[in-house]
Amino acid sequence: MASGSSIGVGGLFTNAEVTTSGRPVLRRNEVECFLLSSVDFDSDDDPPRFTALKSGNLILTTHRLIWIPSQSNGAVPSSIPLAAVTHIFSHKKSIKSMFHSPRIRFQADPGSVVVTIVFRGKGDFDGFLTKFWECWRGRAWDEEDKSEAETSRSGGSATVAQGLYGNDGTVRMVGLAGILRKEQEQWESTDKSLQDAFQDLNALMSKAKEMVSLAEKMRQKLLSAPSSQNSSTDDEEMGSKEEMQQWMLSVGIISPVTKESAGALYHQELSRQLADFVRIPLEQAGGMISLTDMYYHFNRARGTELISPDDLWQACTLWEKFDVPVMLRKFDSGVMVIQNKSHSDEEVMSRIRMLVTKTETLRAGVTASDAALTVKIAPAMAKEHLLTAETKGLLCRDMSPDGLRFYFNLFPEMDLTNLHIVKDFGTYGEWVKATSILSV
């Protein structure tokens, strides 16, 4: 992720943090509002007061203008806080403007710099301008400043009363009467909190929005943490991490990509957001998850902004164009899955081979559920790996009333000229011993 250092004139631009797929990392209560491609940032002053930013995606949020380069041209993702904007110039249509790319000019501090946004791509320019005015006038960042100020005031004034007298100079109640009084105050405080929380729907939704924002921050921390665990990590810590991941999946995405906000870049941005989102479900599923299961998880996280199966398919197919750590895969059976690029079929085959060559499994075979417990993936995915192992000649199948079972393939070790000679070496010899134990 990019750092937050200042660039340009007097700290006008700051480096914007982005995910591994190139999506912006949003701040607390920040929501995406509009997105356009092929956008330049130019200085309207002579001489120019900052280095121009050329050919990038412009994302308008409730708090910032975020510019992300569309190509690896050495430029870094940058942003301008809307709080720094002091004036937006009116857009005047003229004969000259008909032959030029649409432009928006605004003035920003520090230094009263005049910035020109040049739109060279296709998109709803008028819609962006309207949304720009709305976000700037909405001043969502002021609400955060008020909230932080109130929190600091309440935190600073909260001192613990000591001795016989309280903070207000009154005599503190002690003994049984003090305990009863304290319990009564707790009940009154709880009752007041419930009344405040359910006073109206807007207050409840604002609380939920804060929780989603918190979940997004914690999700980013988990994603940035190393996946490997050291030897000192115990099962309790692993369990807590898994519970936290499950909780965050149930909370949802703070700012889902929509057709209204992304426009022509909808599938491209949806693909990037899906690549970021899929990492936690993949980690829980052992590095591979079916496309159907991901459709459920992703739509659940998006809440009311549901996507169609076709949208999900197009988003996954676009991963080939981006440098993301996940990929779409199709098994020979036709099952579509999403998996990490680091996922190794050779490692899975090695673990399956170790499973089917044990004494018990040489005799009784394995099912998809058995393989799922060993490889630590879903039974449906384990079955696909078993079928792949059968295709490669590692396993043989047995269909019976009890269901489908797989056995280690002993046919390559058999001598076709001496089929009746019993071998006492190799996997064949181990199988003979396993079956002999059963007969005894």
Side-chain angles (χ1 to χ4, degrees), residues 84-357:
V85 177
T86 57
H87 180 70
I88 301 176
F89 295 95
S90 300
H91 177 65
K92 298 180 180 180
K93 294 184 178 181
S94 62
I95 297 178
K96 182 179 179 181
S97 64
M98 294 175 61
F99 299 96
H100 290 81
S101 301
R103 299 162 186 263
I104 293 177
R105 297 169 61 245
F106 65 89
Q107 193 173 45
D109 285 334
S112 297
V113 182
V114 178
V115 182
T116 300
I117 307 177
V118 184
F119 302 88
R120 303 191 186 280
K122 297 180 180 179
D124 186 3
F125 166 76
D126 293 329
F128 178 87
L129 180 58
T130 301
K131 212 66 176 174
F132 187 20
W133 275 99
E134 289 180 2
C135 293
W136 183 55
R137 289 169 173 165
R139 302 185 68 82
W141 55 90
D142 283 347
E143 296 298 325
E144 290 187 15
D145 293 341
K146 292 179 182 178
S147 176
E148 291 177 359
E150 291 176 359
T151 302
S152 62
R153 283 200 300 270
S154 61
S157 60
T159 57
V160 180
Q162 301 289 339
L164 185 63
Y165 296 94
N167 291 329
D168 56 356
T170 58
V171 178
R172 298 175 58 204
M173 299 190 69
V174 295
L176 181 60
I179 295 174
L180 294 174
R181 175 65 180 273
K182 184 176 181 180
E183 187 172 340
Q184 178 65 26
E185 290 176 351
Q186 289 179 344
W187 276 107
E188 291 176 356
S189 176
T190 302
D191 183 62
K192 186 177 184 302
S193 298
L194 289 173
Q195 291 179 3
D196 292 342
F198 293 97
Q199 186 174 6
D200 56 44
L201 184 60
N202 290 333
L204 185 61
M205 291 302 294
S206 67
K207 296 293 182 183
K209 192 173 181 181
E210 291 178 7
M211 293 302 296
V212 171
S213 177
L214 175 62
E216 183 70 13
K217 286 185 178 181
M218 298 180 71
R219 187 180 74 88
Q220 292 295 337
K221 287 185 177 180
L222 271 181
L223 291 180
S224 61
S227 57
S228 61
Q229 300 288 335
N230 55 36
S231 57
S232 62
T233 303
D234 55 23
D235 295 338
E236 184 177 350
E237 290 175 344
M238 290 294 294
S240 300
K241 181 179 179 181
E242 291 176 359
E243 291 176 3
M244 183 61 66
Q245 290 176 341
Q246 191 64 38
W247 177 77
M248 288 188 295
L249 285 177
S250 66
V251 171
I253 300 174
I254 184 172
S255 183
V257 173
T258 64
K259 292 182 178 179
E260 180 184 3
S261 63
L265 297 178
Y266 172 64
H267 287 107
Q268 175 180 322
E269 293 304 308
L270 183 68
S271 176
R272 294 180 185 275
Q273 189 170 71
L274 177 60
D276 291 331
F277 173 81
V278 76
R279 293 175 62 185
I280 288 179
L282 273 179
E283 185 177 339
Q284 288 186 321
M288 180 179 293
I289 188 170
S290 70
L291 200 60
T292 305
D293 289 342
M294 182 47 58
Y295 179 70
Y296 160 75
H297 284 300
F298 196 48
N299 264 335
R300 180 185 179 187
R302 288 175 62 87
T304 58
E305 301 292 343
L306 302 181
I307 64 171
S308 67
D310 184 61
D311 288 336
L312 181 71
W313 169 257
Q314 293 190 48
C316 292
T317 55
L318 286 174
W319 284 340
E320 297 179 358
K321 299 182 179 180
F322 309 134
D323 185 19
V324 295
V326 292
M327 60 180 288
L328 187 65
R329 176 182 179 181
K330 184 177 181 179
F331 281 99
D332 293 337
S333 62
V335 174
M336 302 294 298
V337 299
I338 296 173
Q339 71 174 46
N340 287 322
K341 286 184 177 179
S342 59
H343 181 84
S344 172
D345 280 356
E346 288 73 17
E347 181 182 350
V348 174
M349 292 299 109
S350 176
R351 296 172 72 178
I352 290 177
R353 182 184 179 89
M354 291 177 62
L355 172 64
V356 297
T357 53

Side-chain angles (χ1 to χ4, degrees), residues 393-408:
L394 176 63
L395 303 178
C396 293
R397 71 166 66 189
D398 176 63
M399 291 291 297
S400 69
D402 295 333
L404 178 63
R405 302 187 75 86
F406 291 87
Y407 293 82
F408 183 78

